Amino acid sequence: MLGWALTFLVIALIAAALGFSGIAGASAGIAQILFVVFLVLFVVAMIARAVRGNPPPM
């Protein structure tokens, strides 16, 4: 999931450098959405692991 977010971020940066504002905006929006989804899933996984009795390694 994080890989997809980074991929769309790179696409947005390249499109912005070349002047394709529509594609850059769309790719940046998709990258932001995927990054937020990744963060939410990460937090949920950490909470689930802590509830099961396996705290994250230090």
Side-chain angles (χ1 to χ4, degrees):
M1 186 77 65
L2 185 58
W4 282 104
L6 292 175
T7 301
F8 278 105
L9 178 64
V10 169
I11 291 171
L13 292 174
I14 292 171
L18 297 176
F20 302 120
S21 62
I23 295 172
S27 294
I30 292 170
Q32 287 176 341
I33 291 169
L34 289 175
F35 185 72
V36 169
V37 169
F38 170 77
L39 285 179
V40 168
L41 290 175
F42 178 73
V43 169
V44 167
M46 289 294 111
I47 291 172
R49 184 175 177 163
V51 167
R52 283 186 288 158
N54 297 332
M58 296 281 177

